[in-house]
Amino acid sequence: MDIFNFKCKYCGGELAEVDGLKSVGKCKYCGSKQTLPKLENEKRANLFERANHLRRNNEFDKAEALYEQLLNEDMSDPEAYWSLVLCRYGIEYVEDAHTKERKPTVNRMQMTSILGDEDYKSAIANADEEQKKLYEGEAKTINEIQKGILEIARKEEPFDIFICYKETDESGKRSRDSILAQDLYHELTRDGYKVFFARVTLQGKLGSEYEPYIFSALNSSKVMVVLGTKKEHFEAVWVRNEWSRFLGQIKKGERKVLIPAYRDMDAYDLPVEFSNLQALDMSRLGFLQELVEGVENILKTYKNKKEAQKSEPRETYTPTTKYKKKSSALPIIIIALLLVIGVSAAVIFGGGLLKGATPDRETEGEEQSSQGTDETKKDPLGVIPGQSELPTEYPTEDETKDLNENLPGTGSLEFVLNESVNAYTVTCDGAYRDESLVIPSTYNGKPVKFIGKGAFEKSTAIKSVYIPKSIVFIDENAFAEVNYLERITYGGSREEWLEVNISHAGNDLLRSENVDVDFEASSSEILSDNSDLIFIWAPNGESYLVGGISVFTDASHVVIPEFYKGRYVTGIADYAFSGHSEINMVYIPRTVSVIGKGAFNGCAYINSVYYGATEGDWDLIEIDSEGNAALLSAYVAYESNTDGEWSVIGTVGGTSWDTDLPMTESPDNVWTSDTFFLNSGDEFKVRMDGSWAVSFGEGGLNGGNIIVEEEGEYKIQFVYDPKNMKGDITLIPAP
């Protein structure tokens, strides 16, 4: 296929050949050098043209479907992979007013860096040398844009509700939708909610600057109301861009609710993607008040759940790192909404009642409990678990296969509540299939005291196990035929281990001389800051991995040590910190070479990574891109710049959070400012290299503003400990 019949993917102009190459071309109109698809036939070229046309018009979802079709036909075409990336990140090429060059803008910001995107990696793997240079150059530019968006977005206050609507009608005048949206905005803000309403929230910002604020609002909002008065308004490019991204977050398992609201149109004309959702008719009497009450119930439910999580460990904690998903809370939320707005709000759509948005997830079995004791077993702490308190039926081989076929390589832990002693028994929903097993000390805010009968029987993959000191009883056959068990790490002392009541039946390995037992409580090498970290043996049996956090904690930063018990810490296990959304900073030592799948899954607020070696060394770390989006997109301070230049910023010296006032370094990382007159109530922080990626304030790293209590002349002193990511700020009165 002649490239002269193919159009520029940036502007639609004609292409010219470049040095006789068929994989790249140059636009005669905009001058852009660009990669080309494999043009074996006219049909394929036409399909690419159609997809590129949709993408240039920012109809990314429609274009993505065509690129998927092209990729299915030829999975070796790098341009098909790259085009999918452009759709995923909503890349629009805008002409620079000065240089006339086409520069990318990001309209669909993702937490995953484009450099970690799997389709980008596939494009690079299938590209020739010329294409590879162009892909890598564009990706690097887009990655820098991502960092800029994140830096702005992180400064934004979180929103409760996002109102999605079309601002202008077909004639370019303010739409009726906008007026309805404004009424809703005023109702919700009067009730004290933080509401994203573009007409107000984006006021004074240029169109090219919208994305950081939209991205921040989409990520923080728990409810989106999509409203419209015409089918075309729901399908408008930028309206679809917002609600499709929000739906995408729901499909990934985030606890969010999307509520479509329509007026003077047929419910059947709503987007097909809303067919699972409860749509509301805005023309119904009392609609606005009922919607506000419904939203209030949703947010109240979310708030209660969030507050409960602050005092409870995560629902399921799958050792070594695999987490079993929680059953969705959304059906309960939708039921609460329906109770408020009434059944009359429901509409018939696509042949059935519109239902609440519920992402597909695995669900846990209900907690089981029963009474009874078994006096034949002695418990050193006076707790005697009865056989009737433990599971009596286990899956057959076929059932186990069915249970595990969709799990990522491991049977997941299950917990059975023993109400008589208010503690849990841990078992497994099938043969445990990972090399390292970590048992948590608590679950649902209650101790895990028992390992159930046959819990890990025939789990021949297990080589090492972490047993917390909360365990007082290990039932028969709990570790029967776990033939390759080599190491046990126990959370207490040697004396406490000897007191654990271990059934002799089928648990010989736990007392075997062939299995090494380490005792955490006897180690003097555990740093106080890391006392809550769990360490497990790496597959090589010679070093340690960080397996997670042993207790629920509100710690905002995690410091991973280089050594544990005299051996290197060489990796972070799969799902180690999954669900710990409180983390915003991680220190990773130079010894770490592997970061597993989902290690920081759900840690959306990570904004800084401190790495104890060079940028080149960081690039060599094997980081699984799945579930590590926040880590991959965070600001990384390398060894060479962890002791960068520090400055003071705030209402200091007549400034107003718009000027960095330099500090001077003296030995041992002590930084001191000039002398300032500070008023009572002045606020300030210190930050590195003039960036909010790394700052210290009240409470330490990335903490709140420090408030001056008494006016006077002061120097601000900052003592920095880069190895442990700590900093102390002191106001020193002038003599």
Side-chain angles (χ1 to χ4, degrees):
M1 181 76 187
D2 193 336
I3 72 165
F4 298 115
N5 294 323
F6 195 71
K7 303 300 180 186
C8 172
K9 63 183 179 182
Y10 301 139
C11 72
E14 292 184 4
L15 295 180
E17 197 173 87
V18 176
D19 300 328
L21 299 172
K22 291 187 176 181
S23 61
V24 296
K26 187 174 182 179
C27 179
K28 294 179 180 179
Y29 177 74
C30 69
S32 301
K33 188 177 180 181
Q34 58 197 265
T35 51
L36 296 173
K38 293 183 177 181
L39 303 173
E40 293 96 348
N41 54 63
E42 190 171 351
K43 178 184 175 183
R44 185 172 180 82
N46 289 338
L47 195 56
F48 254 112
E49 286 280 21
R50 173 63 178 158
N52 285 348
H53 173 75
L54 291 169
R55 181 181 50 73
R56 285 195 298 269
N57 290 330
N58 298 320
E59 297 186 65
F60 300 113
D61 292 329
K62 295 177 181 178
E64 189 171 1
L66 295 183
Y67 291 129
E68 289 281 7
Q69 182 179 335
L70 286 160
L71 192 59
N72 288 335
E73 293 174 3
D74 184 353
M75 297 190 70
S76 66
D77 190 342
E79 187 67 9
Y81 287 108
W82 176 248
S83 299
L84 283 175
V85 174
L86 296 181
C87 290
R88 184 169 300 120
Y89 291 80
I91 304 301
E92 180 183 10
Y93 291 90
V94 179
E95 184 179 82
D96 186 280
H98 301 291
T99 65
K100 302 301 181 183
E101 292 180 8
R102 296 277 170 163
K103 294 188 175 180
T105 59
V106 177
N107 294 311
R108 287 184 159 192
M109 177 62 187
Q110 307 286 325
M111 290 300 292
T112 303
S113 165
I114 193 171
L115 301 178
D117 186 273
E118 290 302 318
D119 285 325
Y120 167 69
K121 292 178 182 178
S122 296
I124 294 297
N126 288 280
D128 62 27
E129 285 304 312
E130 288 298 319
Q131 289 176 313
K132 186 177 179 181
K133 289 177 187 176
L134 291 175
Y135 290 142
E136 288 177 337
E138 278 198 62
K140 187 175 180 181
T141 300
I142 293 169
N143 184 54
E144 290 303 312
I145 295 171
Q146 280 187 277
K147 289 180 180 178
I149 291 173
L150 279 173
E151 188 164 352
I152 295 172
R154 287 183 182 124
K155 298 175 187 177
E156 288 296 291
E157 292 292 326
F159 286 86
D160 301 309
I161 304 154
F162 191 111
I163 301 177
C164 177
Y165 69 101
K166 193 171 190 303
E167 175 64 28
T168 58
D169 60 18
E170 292 71 19
S171 64
K173 296 179 180 179
R174 187 181 182 188
S175 69
R176 189 180 176 202
D177 302 15
S178 174
I179 296 169
L180 293 169
Q182 186 163 328
D183 290 341
L184 179 59
Y185 168 77
H186 287 309
E187 283 290 334
L188 293 169
T189 51
R190 269 198 295 268
D191 287 345
Y193 295 114
K194 186 79 183 292
V195 183
F196 182 91
F197 173 51
R199 185 177 181 84
V200 174
T201 311
L202 300 178
Q203 191 173 14
K205 296 178 175 63
L206 297 174
S208 59
E209 298 173 346
Y210 288 168
E211 179 57 22
Y213 307 99
I214 293 173
F215 170 72
S216 175
L218 286 172
N219 276 278
S220 59
S221 296
K222 298 306 168 190
V223 177
M224 172 181 276
V225 179
V226 187
L227 59 84
T229 56
K230 291 184 179 180
K231 175 183 178 181
E232 295 77 13
H233 290 186
F234 282 99
E235 294 286 1
V237 169
W238 296 114
V239 175
R240 171 178 274 274
N241 178 41
E242 291 172 353
W243 62 250
S244 65
R245 292 164 71 180
F246 199 81
L247 276 181
Q249 293 173 351
I250 292 174
K251 289 176 181 176
K252 289 179 181 177
E254 295 193 34
R255 272 193 212 91
K256 296 173 180 275
V257 177
L258 187 148
I259 305 171
Y262 66 97
R263 186 184 179 99
D264 300 336
M265 59 178 284
D266 197 321
Y268 288 95
D269 289 333
L270 289 170
V272 67
E273 290 87 347
F274 295 173
S275 58
N276 285 345
L277 306 178
Q278 174 66 49
L280 307 177
D281 186 348
M282 290 187 284
S283 65
R284 196 168 60 81
L285 188 64
F287 154 79
L288 190 58
Q289 181 182 352
E290 291 170 347
L291 177 61
V292 171
E293 290 176 355
V295 168
E296 182 180 352
N297 276 350
I298 292 170
L299 293 176
K300 191 179 294 181
T301 303
Y302 174 81
K303 182 180 179 182
N304 291 341
K305 186 113 183 159
K306 191 74 174 174
E307 288 176 351
Q309 286 177 344
K310 287 183 179 179
S311 58
E312 295 180 2
R314 291 331 190 240
E315 280 293 315
T316 42
Y317 190 88
T318 306
T320 50
T321 59
K322 301 283 195 282
Y323 274 73
K324 189 174 181 182
K325 295 178 182 176
K326 294 185 220 177
S327 58
S328 174
L330 289 176
I332 298 173
I333 295 173
I334 295 299
I335 289 170
L337 175 60
L338 289 175
L339 289 174
V340 174
I341 62 178
V343 176
S344 59
V347 297
I348 303 299
F349 182 65
L353 183 68
L354 293 179
K355 298 178 182 178
T358 308
D360 294 332
R361 299 182 176 187
E362 296 175 57
T363 55
E364 296 176 3
E366 296 180 358
E367 294 177 353
Q368 305 171 35
S369 63
S370 56
Q371 304 292 325
T373 59
D374 179 357
E375 297 180 359
T376 62
K377 288 185 171 63
K378 180 183 177 183
D379 187 297
L381 300 184
V383 180
I384 305 175
Q387 291 298 319
S388 59
E389 296 164 357
L390 302 175
T392 56
E393 295 183 6
Y394 295 88
T396 64
E397 262 187 52
D398 289 339
E399 289 171 336
T400 298
K401 183 178 179 183
D402 291 340
L403 281 168
N404 290 332
E405 64 181 359
N406 294 319
L407 296 176
T410 178
S412 298
L413 295 190
E414 291 191 342
F415 298 84
V416 182
L417 181 63
N418 182 339
E419 292 183 340
S420 63
V421 293
N422 205 27
Y424 280 98
T425 296
V426 61
T427 72
C428 189
D429 70 357
Y432 198 80
R433 293 183 285 143
D434 217 341
E435 291 185 353
S436 299
L437 165 66
V438 178
I439 296 171
S441 60
T442 57
Y443 175 76
N444 271 355
K446 298 172 183 176
V448 176
K449 288 192 173 184
F450 319 116
I451 300 178
K453 180 180 178 182
F456 304 103
E457 187 173 5
K458 297 183 179 179
S459 296
T460 54
I462 297 175
K463 290 185 178 179
S464 68
V465 57
Y466 174 88
I467 299 175
K469 69 176 183 178
S470 62
I471 295 293
V472 297
F473 176 70
I474 301 176
D475 207 342
E476 61 184 65
N477 294 319
F479 290 89
E481 299 183 55
V482 183
N483 298 327
Y484 298 99
L485 181 65
E486 298 172 354
R487 298 181 185 276
I488 297 170
T489 301
Y490 178 64
S493 65
R494 182 184 301 273
E495 292 72 22
E496 288 171 316
W497 173 246
L498 294 174
E499 288 296 314
V500 177
N501 187 356
I502 302 176
S503 172
H504 293 291
N507 289 318
D508 296 341
L509 282 169
L510 299 185
R511 301 293 198 202
S512 170
E513 294 181 357
N514 297 322
V515 176
D516 293 332
V517 183
D518 293 327
F519 304 99
E520 280 195 342
S522 61
S523 172
S524 61
E525 297 178 49
I526 305 175
L527 302 174
S528 59
D529 284 349
N530 295 297
S531 59
D532 291 334
L533 290 181
I534 292 172
F535 296 89
I536 59 179
W537 282 99
N540 62 17
E542 298 177 354
S543 61
Y544 283 100
L545 305 179
V546 175
I549 301 178
S550 62
V551 296
F552 181 79
T553 172
D554 284 327
S556 61
H557 62 281
V558 171
V559 178
I560 296 171
E562 290 186 14
F563 298 94
Y564 176 71
K565 292 192 174 181
R567 295 177 183 266
Y568 286 120
V569 175
T570 56
I572 302 173
D574 293 355
Y575 300 95
F577 300 101
S578 179
H580 283 273
S581 59
E582 68 280 358
I583 297 172
N584 60 35
M585 190 288 292
V586 183
Y587 176 81
I588 298 175
R590 66 177 62 234
T591 55
V592 167
S593 60
V594 177
I595 298 176
K597 180 193 298 183
F600 293 93
N601 185 47
C603 302
Y605 296 104
I606 291 179
N607 53 31
S608 305
V609 176
Y610 290 77
Y611 178 59
T614 66
E615 183 173 1
D617 293 325
W618 174 259
D619 292 337
L620 295 175
I621 296 179
E622 184 182 333
I623 304 177
D624 196 306
S625 61
E626 184 175 336
N628 286 315
L631 184 78
L632 290 167
S633 60
Y635 170 86
V636 181
Y638 306 101
E639 181 183 42
S640 57
N641 64 351
T642 51
D643 52 356
E645 298 294 318
W646 290 90
S647 58
V648 177
I649 188 168
T651 56
V652 176
T655 63
S656 180
W657 296 99
D658 55 6
T659 304
D660 281 274
L661 304 170
M663 304 179 80
T664 304
E665 183 182 14
S666 58
D668 300 323
N669 271 312
V670 177
W671 294 77
T672 308
S673 73
D674 292 337
T675 300
F676 303 111
F677 183 84
L678 300 179
N679 294 300
S680 175
D682 277 351
E683 300 181 24
F684 70 91
K685 296 175 74 171
V686 299
R687 64 180 185 174
M688 188 171 72
D689 295 334
S691 169
W692 284 116
V694 187
S695 68
F696 281 85
E698 185 68 37
L701 183 70
N702 298 329
N705 298 341
I706 294 176
I707 301 174
V708 178
E709 295 182 357
E710 184 177 342
E711 69 175 33
E713 289 192 335
Y714 297 94
K715 286 187 176 183
I716 299 171
Q717 186 182 79
F718 175 56
V719 181
Y720 180 44
D721 176 6
K723 278 292 182 185
N724 293 302
M725 305 322 304
K726 291 184 176 180
D728 293 321
I729 300 173
T730 307
L731 284 176
I732 302 176

